[in-house]
Amino acid sequence: MAEQRRSGGESAADRGSAAPEHFLVVFPGYHRSWAAWIAQCLERHGNRATQQRWDPPREVPLEDSLGDLLLSSGRVLLVLNDWFFELGPRPAGEWNDVLRGFVAAHADRFAAVNLTNRPLLPATAVLEPASMWGLSEEAAEERLLSRLGLERRRTTRAAPTRLRYPETRAEIWGEVPRRNPRFTGRDDLLTNLHQRLADAERGAAACTLLGMSGIGKTQLAAEYAHRFSPDYDMVWWINSDDRNIQRDRFGELAVELGLRSGSEPGERIRAVRDALRRGEPHSRWLLIFDGWDDTDDIDALLPQGPGHVLVTSRNRGWSEHTEILEIPAFLRAESTGYLMRRAPHITADEADEVAIEFGDVPLPLVQAASWLGESGMEVPEYLRMVRERKLSTVDEPATGEGFPQSSMTSWSILLNRLRRSQPQAIDVLSLCTSFAPGRIPLGLIRAYPQADLPEELRWMATDLPAWTRALDTLVNYSVLTRETRGPAGAEMGPHQESVHMHRLVHDIVSKLASEDSRANHRRAVRTLLAEADPGNPVDSRNWPRYAELLPHLEPSGALGSTTPRVQEAVLNCLRYCLRSGEFKAGLDLAQRIHDRWDRSMDRLAQPMLDLINQEGHILRASGRFRDAYELDRGVLEKLQTAPQRNELGELTAKGAVATSLRHLGRYEEAYELQREVLDGIGRLLGQDELPTLVARHNLGVGLRLLGRYTDAYELDLETLARRESVLRARHINTLSSGNAVTHSLRLLGRYRDALARQEPVVRLHVQVLGAQHPQTLEARAQLTMCRRREGGHTQDVGPSMTSLLEQMVQLNGREHHRTLSFLTNYGNFLREHGDLSQARDLIAEAEAGYRALLGPAHPVATGMLTNTGLVMQAAGERAEAMSMFESAMAGLTATLGPDHPWVLGCALNAASARNFNGRIADAVDLSRDTLRRSRHSLGEQHPLTLSCQVALSADLRAAREQEEAGKLEEDGLLSLTRTLGAQHPHTISARQRTRPYWDFEAYLG
């Protein structure tokens, strides 16, 4: 089919009297970038050019097809390499005959350039092709003009954006697979794809190549990247078979773009998305997500902006997010053309028969062509072997997805031939099936030569030439694709080598491999994974390695291993999921480990206890508090009734139960149990051991939830000092203690001290964990609250909260308890600063979210009612607001007791509502009682106590008790000035006699 694009040149009047010469630039689709550059080059020198993609049908005589080109005015410029003469392909000798006859007779109308250093057909000499091979752009331009007899005539008219010289790669070129020199057809698909992306609106230029395994989606995406590379300044390839590797690879782009970001994946991802959205430093970018079947992370990863996004997937759910381009099987002409090029000895009819056998599906056709071309076998014999399934050792299970059954036998033929000619390649291939499909870090076997490998595999670690030969063989047979990791263009050693194995290839080879070899190879891969375990999932610098290991745990059999070293590596991968915030992946992994260990391991064995402990942490981090409690309680009961006492195990389980109880709102029970845990672990292990420090930290959390802020602060300070001494300042647990000290300080009303302490705490979090780590987001949220309460940074709080909310939603989703907490605080801030409509929406969303997550009787769900009441009161709905305040006060009193700070805050608001609704005497009684209790619980100088004092003076004034009101007001103003400062918003409001209120901070511990 012909694809034509007329390039506008300048008029004769623009250049003088000489009319511009016209050229028809004829190219195979493979060389679109060269054709475009040549056409632009000609136009810059005052000529006209039309580009025509050319792939003449094999059925049409070549002389007729070339004659059609001469219907164009001017000269025909052929863009040649050895591929050009394989178009069709043509019977042997046809090209030479036509070049010697027809082309020679019209030599004045034909010219050519040559893009290869490989020999062309002898008769090509008639075209006198100008060689472009290995030339710089300036030299190539000079040679082109010289061949065509053109003078340099630069036009004065402003030219469009100048195309990049095809030999010059994009400024950023990230792990795009090498161009397939045998790429066949698909020209119309590629043109369609390019047009769709070019025509899309800014921010919506995304297209998904959809089709079954083996249909050629990855090859098509790679060819697009190469063919249209001059259109882009940045091309970045992201293998997306595994979510963790995908996130890690996307985040690596931050380094290439020179963005300031930490090592944490979420922070890098956000920085990259923002840079892509802005189009800085590159607006012409192309991102390719290869094999993205799981659409859960679309909102977090799919970028928007001026560039283009290409996805390959089997998941039809992409139709809701991008344009879809269905990838069909080859056209029959594409199938037969490919087969005849790879196996020149077969006829068109034989190629047609093979194409029918394999349903025109590219992947099995590639294998068939490779086999026929390498072996020289005749097609009838090949098809007989395929159809009769001569290999008795191979069963032929259903492969699904419409893949032809006969391909199983085709694969078995290939494997048998390799087994005879290159048995080491079979070892490598079988080893690959013990990894997960997709990207396989095969270099691990050379990186850890000390690993205890089976004798038949030890050559891989010691014989580099054999290793290289085996890989080359598999790559040549299109079984594997070679990959490298690291900086673009950097040469990787064999220990860093990786390969890509298509999911369909993996499935087929797995079915055809011997069970004995698979068992040995799976054992070897388990050993390698254990050797590759960095041993410290807390350190964020190790997270990319854990992300790489994670997908291979199950196929290698590591999840069911009874080897302690492998079990520890599996648990470290689970700990990585918790520490890095990959909670969904962690829960899935924990369940799969359970399924294996339950069959062979005692429920109270130490690895099982460690697994359950980690699973409980991830359940709580995910907001599944009841599930975590049931899990932890079940383990504790089993430990307590076990014949042999495991005191440390019991204490660990009690600590987990105490944590779950705190999240369930059972604060007193949790505190008593946590005290028991701290005493017991401290006695068994010592005061400075890691488990003791964790127990001490958790006791501080319990004290805060009980409203015992002074006790919590003192304990937090002690824990922080011990952790700084034992773990050092940059340990993740030490950072957590720093955040806890700030929290306690702020709840004590020491806002300036809290702010001064939290700013360096956040800086350390960002440096060590990255700005998007879950714990860093908590620290940053704490900082916004410090600034809000301190009162001197109001102008900075709003924008910070807006940005932080977006990041929390991106990391956790809107229904996560951490997001709900921030929605609450942001809603209260907006209400305070006049955006009542948005405040109402956010508070309503958070209240409903907590009610669904915790149940209506939970203290946090109950406390949310007072925030709803504040919104109603600000909107003038005073009766409804009073109902909310009274309900919150009654509910929290029943669960927490009358002296808890949350109850006192609700009482402050309820007294205000009684006053506004004309119940003055009731307001005075409640305000007087609340002030007394607050002085007892929080002290006379606490901001909440002083708010209660100012509120009581307002109620007394309303009751016409002026003398007592004046005395209380004067004393309250002096204390507020002394405690918070004369310019603090609370002090100013009290001076202006604005009624004080208390907003509820939702805190789960």
Side-chain angles (χ1 to χ4, degrees):
M1 290 184 68
E3 171 193 349
Q4 296 193 5
R5 180 173 68 84
R6 196 60 166 252
S7 303
E10 65 178 22
S11 67
D14 291 331
R15 325 177 20 248
S17 58
E21 188 169 356
H22 175 252
F23 293 89
L24 181 68
V25 182
V26 177
F27 64 99
Y30 197 78
H31 286 310
R32 178 259 182 193
S33 58
W34 272 102
W37 179 83
I38 288 170
Q40 188 180 78
C41 183
L42 293 171
E43 291 166 1
R44 282 203 311 273
H45 292 279
N47 302 286
R48 294 186 299 115
T50 302
Q51 299 172 50
Q52 180 163 318
R53 193 188 78 223
W54 197 60
D55 188 3
R58 188 170 63 244
E59 298 77 21
V60 177
L62 183 56
E63 186 170 317
D64 291 350
S65 295
L66 286 167
D68 289 341
L69 298 178
L70 295 183
L71 297 176
S72 169
S73 63
R75 282 190 280 174
V76 176
L77 178 64
L78 304 180
V79 180
L80 302 181
N81 70 343
D82 48 345
W83 176 261
F84 191 94
F85 300 103
E86 291 187 14
L87 293 174
R90 297 281 163 178
E94 184 178 359
W95 262 109
N96 271 328
D97 291 342
V98 171
L99 287 170
R100 294 187 183 109
F102 181 84
V103 174
H106 300 86
D108 60 325
R109 295 287 309 279
F110 286 98
V113 295
N114 179 19
L115 305 180
T116 182
N117 66 342
R118 292 187 291 272
L120 300 179
L121 295 175
T124 310
V126 71
L127 294 168
E128 300 180 4
S131 176
M132 300 290 199
W133 173 258
L135 297 182
S136 67
E137 183 174 9
E138 294 76 16
E141 182 175 337
E142 185 66 36
R143 186 163 293 180
L144 172 68
L145 297 176
S146 175
R147 169 62 185 87
L148 298 176
L150 300 176
E151 296 178 0
R152 285 184 170 273
R153 291 187 297 184
R154 295 285 185 179
T155 61
T156 57
R157 190 183 63 179
T161 302
R162 183 164 179 172
L163 292 173
R164 185 185 302 108
Y165 184 56
E167 293 295 305
T168 305
R169 199 168 256 181
E171 290 186 40
I172 296 177
W173 182 263
E175 291 191 12
V176 179
R178 295 174 186 172
R179 195 171 196 183
N180 181 1
R182 298 188 177 109
F183 184 85
T184 290
R186 305 293 204 183
D187 286 331
D188 289 336
L189 273 175
L190 287 162
T191 302
N192 183 1
L193 174 60
H194 182 253
Q195 199 62 47
R196 288 191 187 201
L197 292 174
D199 291 346
E201 295 180 3
R202 177 188 170 104
C207 189
T208 297
L209 305 182
L210 185 66
M212 73 175 192
S213 294
I215 204 68
K217 303 182 294 294
T218 298
Q219 286 290 325
L220 194 65
E223 175 61 21
Y224 179 90
H226 287 281
R227 186 171 295 192
F228 296 99
S229 62
D231 293 0
Y232 302 99
D233 298 317
M234 183 194 92
V235 181
W236 196 253
W237 187 279
I238 301 170
N239 289 321
S240 303
D241 291 316
D242 178 78
R243 177 179 185 271
N244 295 288
I245 291 177
Q246 178 193 40
R247 288 167 57 84
D248 181 49
R249 177 67 184 144
F250 188 91
E252 288 175 9
L253 190 50
V255 177
E256 299 293 331
L257 293 173
L259 306 179
R260 291 187 175 181
S261 63
S263 61
E264 198 277 321
E267 178 189 0
R268 286 186 167 194
I269 287 169
R270 180 174 176 273
V272 170
R273 290 191 72 207
D274 186 57
L276 296 176
R277 178 184 55 78
R278 290 183 285 106
E280 297 174 359
H282 300 293
S283 61
R284 302 196 312 162
W285 51 260
L286 171 66
L287 256 65
I288 301 174
F289 294 89
D290 184 40
W292 193 353
D293 290 332
D294 184 354
T295 58
D296 287 349
D297 260 2
I298 287 177
D299 291 339
L301 289 180
L302 191 66
Q304 295 182 331
H308 297 165
V309 177
L310 194 54
V311 177
T312 73
S313 181
R314 300 178 301 174
N315 188 343
R316 293 189 173 274
W318 278 99
S319 60
E320 300 176 11
H321 307 279
T322 68
E323 277 209 57
I324 293 293
L325 185 59
E326 293 256 10
I327 308 304
F330 273 158
L331 299 173
R332 180 56 49 80
E334 292 173 333
S335 299
T336 56
Y338 180 77
L339 287 164
M340 293 170 70
R341 277 190 288 274
R342 292 293 304 274
H345 68 285
I346 71 175
T347 68
D349 289 340
E350 289 172 335
D352 193 69
E353 195 173 355
V354 175
I356 292 171
E357 185 69 31
F358 293 108
D360 294 300
V361 176
L363 184 59
L365 283 174
V366 168
Q367 299 302 324
S370 178
W371 168 259
L372 290 166
E374 293 285 336
S375 68
M377 181 181 287
E378 295 300 323
V379 168
E381 176 65 8
Y382 176 77
L383 291 179
R384 184 186 65 79
M385 293 180 67
V386 169
R387 291 165 183 164
E388 293 180 5
R389 294 184 291 177
K390 288 293 186 181
L391 301 175
S392 59
T393 57
V394 179
D395 293 325
E396 189 173 298
T399 58
E401 295 192 328
F403 190 73
Q405 293 285 330
S406 54
S407 66
M408 292 293 292
T409 308
S410 176
W411 271 89
S412 71
I413 295 171
L414 173 61
L415 296 185
N416 273 348
R417 181 166 191 257
L418 289 175
R419 196 170 281 115
R420 291 191 300 270
S421 64
Q422 179 61 276
Q424 290 173 322
I426 292 293
D427 286 340
V428 174
L429 188 59
S430 181
L431 185 70
C432 286
T433 65
S434 296
F435 289 90
R439 185 178 180 275
I440 297 175
L442 203 54
L444 290 180
I445 203 164
R446 299 192 61 80
Y448 300 100
Q450 73 277 15
D452 184 17
L453 299 175
E455 184 175 352
E456 69 269 21
L457 298 184
R458 288 176 189 162
W459 67 268
M460 297 184 187
T462 58
D463 191 343
L464 180 57
W467 167 268
T468 303
R469 279 196 306 274
L471 282 183
D472 286 346
T473 298
L474 295 171
V475 170
N476 288 340
Y477 272 101
S478 304
V479 177
L480 301 177
T481 304
R482 197 178 257 114
E483 293 185 347
T484 55
R485 299 283 281 175
E491 289 296 324
M492 298 290 102
H495 64 290
Q496 297 166 301
E497 193 161 25
S498 65
V499 296
H500 189 276
M501 192 177 203
H502 193 282
R503 197 178 276 107
L504 186 58
V505 176
H506 187 278
D507 291 346
I508 293 174
V509 176
S510 297
K511 292 179 175 74
L512 296 175
S514 105
E515 281 303 315
D516 289 343
S517 68
R518 285 200 68 201
N520 285 338
H521 294 168
R522 281 157 61 91
R523 190 159 49 249
V525 171
R526 293 196 292 272
T527 301
L528 290 169
L529 295 177
E531 290 290 339
D533 172 16
N536 185 8
V538 173
D539 191 336
S540 60
R541 291 171 296 183
N542 294 327
W543 291 350
R545 170 50 63 89
Y546 282 113
E548 184 177 54
L549 300 181
L550 199 59
H552 306 294
L553 297 179
E554 181 154 6
S556 69
L559 299 184
S561 174
T562 58
T563 304
R565 179 71 184 88
V566 177
Q567 290 176 344
E568 184 61 20
V570 168
L571 287 174
N572 278 340
C573 286
L574 186 61
R575 294 179 181 112
Y576 149 74
C577 292
L578 172 65
R579 291 298 190 174
S580 65
E582 299 288 349
F583 304 137
K584 182 179 178 182
L587 288 176
D588 176 65
L589 177 60
Q591 185 57 56
R592 286 186 284 135
I593 300 171
H594 261 301
D595 291 344
R596 308 310 193 281
W597 287 10
D598 279 341
R599 302 169 194 167
S600 59
M601 190 183 297
D602 187 281
R603 188 75 174 177
L604 299 183
Q606 192 56 51
M608 183 68 84
L609 294 177
D610 291 341
L611 167 63
I612 294 171
N613 183 259
Q614 292 301 313
E615 185 178 6
H617 284 313
I618 298 175
L619 283 169
R620 283 187 291 273
S622 303
R624 293 172 55 181
F625 308 128
R626 176 61 60 181
D627 292 341
Y629 172 69
E630 296 296 340
L631 179 71
D632 299 331
R633 189 181 65 169
V635 172
L636 179 58
E637 289 173 354
K638 283 184 170 60
L639 283 166
Q640 290 173 329
T641 57
Q644 189 171 355
R645 183 90 188 273
N646 179 352
E647 189 176 0
L648 184 58
E650 283 186 42
L651 289 167
T652 301
K654 284 181 180 178
V657 170
T659 301
S660 293
L661 286 171
R662 284 196 299 275
H663 285 95
L664 292 173
R666 294 159 63 177
Y667 303 142
E668 284 288 354
E669 290 178 72
Y671 173 72
E672 294 301 328
L673 192 57
Q674 191 65 49
R675 277 185 56 191
E676 181 183 338
V677 170
L678 178 57
D679 292 343
I681 289 184
R683 174 175 48 80
L684 285 177
L685 301 180
Q687 295 302 314
D688 288 336
E689 291 300 313
L690 186 60
T692 313
L693 295 173
V694 170
R696 189 183 304 279
H697 173 85
N698 288 340
L699 189 64
V701 174
L703 287 167
R704 272 195 299 282
L705 286 167
L706 287 170
R708 294 169 55 180
Y709 301 146
T710 299
D711 294 341
Y713 172 62
E714 292 171 355
L715 186 60
D716 290 335
L717 270 181
E718 181 186 351
T719 306
L720 175 61
R722 289 180 182 272
R723 281 179 163 172
E724 286 178 335
S725 174
V726 175
L727 304 176
R728 303 307 181 203
R730 297 172 69 86
H731 192 279
I732 189 171
N733 290 1
T734 308
L735 297 176
S736 181
S737 281
N739 201 51
V741 169
T742 297
H743 196 177
S744 295
L745 268 175
R746 185 169 58 75
L747 294 176
L748 284 168
R750 294 169 56 180
Y751 302 140
R752 280 183 295 229
D753 294 342
L755 178 59
R757 179 176 280 276
Q758 189 63 8
E759 286 174 335
V761 167
V762 167
R763 283 197 295 271
L764 258 183
H765 269 83
V766 172
Q767 290 171 13
V768 175
L769 301 177
Q772 300 303 304
H773 188 277
Q775 186 171 307
T776 306
L777 291 181
E778 287 294 292
R780 293 169 62 197
Q782 185 76 253
L783 180 60
T784 64
M785 291 304 295
C786 289
R787 287 173 172 162
R788 180 184 166 208
R789 298 302 188 201
E790 191 270 341
H793 299 76
T794 304
Q795 71 280 3
D796 300 327
V797 173
S800 296
M801 284 188 139
T802 302
S803 173
L804 195 51
L805 175 58
E806 178 186 335
Q807 295 163 46
M808 284 194 162
V809 170
Q810 182 176 318
L811 181 69
N812 300 316
R814 291 190 78 89
E815 297 176 354
H816 192 276
H817 63 93
R818 291 193 178 96
T819 308
L820 295 176
S821 174
F822 198 79
L823 283 171
T824 301
N825 294 333
Y826 190 27
N828 285 329
F829 173 82
L830 291 172
R831 185 209 69 247
E832 202 172 51
H833 291 82
D835 192 343
L836 195 58
S837 175
Q838 189 180 359
R840 185 189 290 272
D841 291 342
L842 293 180
I843 295 297
E845 180 182 355
E847 183 192 342
Y850 275 124
R851 197 183 308 115
L853 182 67
L854 307 171
H858 192 286
V860 168
T862 305
M864 284 299 300
L865 297 176
T866 201
N867 291 328
T868 301
L870 288 171
V871 172
M872 290 176 170
Q873 188 164 272
E877 302 164 17
R878 292 184 170 183
E880 294 85 349
M882 184 170 69
S883 175
M884 288 291 175
F885 295 145
E886 297 283 359
S887 295
M889 181 175 66
L892 288 178
T893 301
T895 55
L896 303 178
D899 295 334
H900 194 286
W902 292 359
V903 176
L904 299 174
C906 290
L908 173 69
N909 293 337
S912 169
R914 292 178 183 183
N915 186 318
F916 290 153
N917 283 278
R919 293 172 52 185
I920 304 302
D922 290 341
V924 170
D925 290 344
L926 181 56
S927 287
R928 198 182 295 280
D929 183 62
T930 304
L931 176 59
R932 178 181 60 79
R933 293 182 182 280
S934 188
R935 283 172 171 169
H936 171 73
S937 298
L938 297 172
E940 296 198 356
Q941 301 303 308
H942 192 281
L944 179 55
T945 303
L946 296 176
S947 291
C948 292
Q949 184 171 333
V950 171
L952 176 58
S953 70
D955 292 333
L956 289 169
R957 272 198 310 275
R960 303 186 184 281
E961 299 181 26
Q962 302 293 346
E963 183 176 350
E964 184 181 1
K967 186 174 183 305
L968 279 171
E969 182 180 49
E970 182 181 358
D971 180 62
L973 280 170
L974 285 173
S975 295
L976 281 170
T977 301
R978 185 168 53 250
T979 304
L980 300 180
Q983 299 306 309
H984 192 280
H986 287 1
T987 309
I988 294 171
S989 294
R991 193 179 302 121
Q992 295 172 346
R993 292 186 172 176
T994 301
R995 182 85 190 206
Y997 58 84
W998 175 84
D999 54 52
F1000 174 68
E1001 289 184 34
Y1003 175 55
L1004 288 175

